[in-house]
Amino acid sequence: MATKKVKGVGLSRFETIGGGIFLFFYVLILPFIRDGLFRAIEHLLGISISAYAEYSIYYYVLFVLTLLIFYNFIGRSTGYFFSNLTNTLAAAGIGLVLFYGFNELLYRVTNVLFGNQVNLNNYSISAQIDNAPRTTLLIVVLIAPFIEEVLFRGYVFGSLKGHGRALAYVVSCFLFAFLHVWQFVGGELLSFNRLLLLVQYLVPAAVLAWAYDRSGNLWGPTLLHIAANALHVWLAW
């Protein structure tokens, strides 16, 4: 079976090293030092930073860092996107159907077997939208999906794909799901309820990874992620 071409979207040495450091801090460190970091800034500058401003600054800084580290990779991937536009849009469209279809199936199965489980990430987003709708929508619909696709699909999946697709799917999906639970529950991650939440994110992670694998560039899963988040916010708001 012929493999899909991904020519022109490989990672440079700088992107590989810089991306690895960024990913480590993004997943394991920043969720737990963010609050203390902002409190330290408040103390040093003698100012008060609202939760809304903290949320905005945090994601805008992450967005800038993503651009600085992966600037060339994003450019190469964009070039490949335009040369494979039909395939990319098809991957995003099919992925959106799979995304909601499998998500709904998983939700109903887990609800029947274990009862309804509160999704802490969705709860946090809803609270942010109530306080600052425009900025939160910009972050949730555009900025956060872009950052996550560059890291989890472009960097993790793209780096591991050469060692085997199965490995790339497993690692990228687990890290994506892990982040979306870990940043809210900390040491309670190993509880049964938290593991169920972890499973909730494995399905969208797998579909997003498939969209990247199918399209061969960042914009397949990014467009899918943007559309899925936009629809979720629209239906829930």
Side-chain angles (χ1 to χ4, degrees):
M1 179 181 295
T3 58
K4 293 180 176 61
K5 296 181 179 179
V6 290
K7 183 179 179 181
V9 294
L11 294 163
S12 69
R13 181 176 177 82
F14 170 78
E15 291 161 344
T16 299
I17 297 173
I21 296 172
F22 183 32
L23 178 70
F24 174 78
F25 276 90
Y26 181 68
V27 174
L28 297 177
I29 305 298
L30 291 179
F32 296 98
I33 70 169
R34 185 176 82 174
D35 185 65
L37 183 61
F38 276 99
R39 301 295 77 77
I41 293 173
E42 286 180 330
H43 178 73
L44 288 173
L45 300 180
I47 61 175
S48 178
I49 303 175
S50 67
Y52 147 71
E54 180 180 322
Y55 179 74
S56 301
I57 293 170
Y58 181 72
Y59 274 99
Y60 288 144
V61 169
L62 290 177
F63 178 69
V64 171
L65 287 174
T66 301
L67 291 178
L68 290 175
I69 295 171
F70 295 102
Y71 177 79
N72 288 324
F73 172 67
I74 294 167
R76 294 192 299 273
S77 193
T78 301
Y80 193 81
F81 161 67
F82 283 114
S83 64
N84 293 270
L85 184 60
T86 301
N87 188 44
T88 300
L89 295 179
I94 295 171
L96 188 62
V97 175
L98 296 174
F99 188 103
Y100 273 96
F102 285 128
N103 244 2
E104 182 67 17
L105 176 62
L106 178 63
Y107 173 78
R108 291 184 180 277
V109 170
T110 55
N111 189 43
V112 169
L113 295 177
F114 308 110
N116 189 30
Q117 301 294 319
V118 175
N119 188 306
L120 298 176
N121 189 26
N122 292 344
Y123 180 82
S124 175
I125 290 173
S126 296
Q128 290 287 352
I129 290 176
D130 290 338
N131 293 327
R134 293 182 180 178
T135 300
T136 301
L137 288 175
L138 176 64
I139 293 172
V140 170
V141 175
L142 296 177
I143 294 177
F146 177 76
I147 294 170
E148 291 177 359
E149 292 317 307
V150 171
L151 284 175
F152 294 108
R153 259 59 67 176
Y155 180 77
V156 177
F157 189 93
S159 297
L160 295 176
K161 185 177 177 181
H163 301 284
R165 274 187 170 82
L167 178 65
Y169 272 98
V170 170
V171 175
S172 64
C173 290
F174 174 76
L175 286 177
F176 180 80
F178 181 79
L179 172 70
H180 285 80
V181 178
W182 169 259
Q183 62 183 321
F184 294 105
V185 302
E188 297 180 8
L189 180 63
L190 295 180
S191 71
F192 181 70
N193 288 342
R194 302 317 186 201
L195 288 175
L196 281 180
L197 293 178
L198 189 75
V199 171
Q200 286 183 7
Y201 283 98
L202 292 177
V203 169
V207 175
L208 289 164
W210 173 85
Y212 180 76
D213 193 23
R214 171 71 181 268
S215 65
N217 66 84
L218 282 173
W219 297 107
T222 300
L223 292 174
L224 166 57
H225 202 155
I226 288 172
N229 281 13
L231 282 172
H232 173 79
V233 170
W234 179 63
L235 292 172
W237 201 7

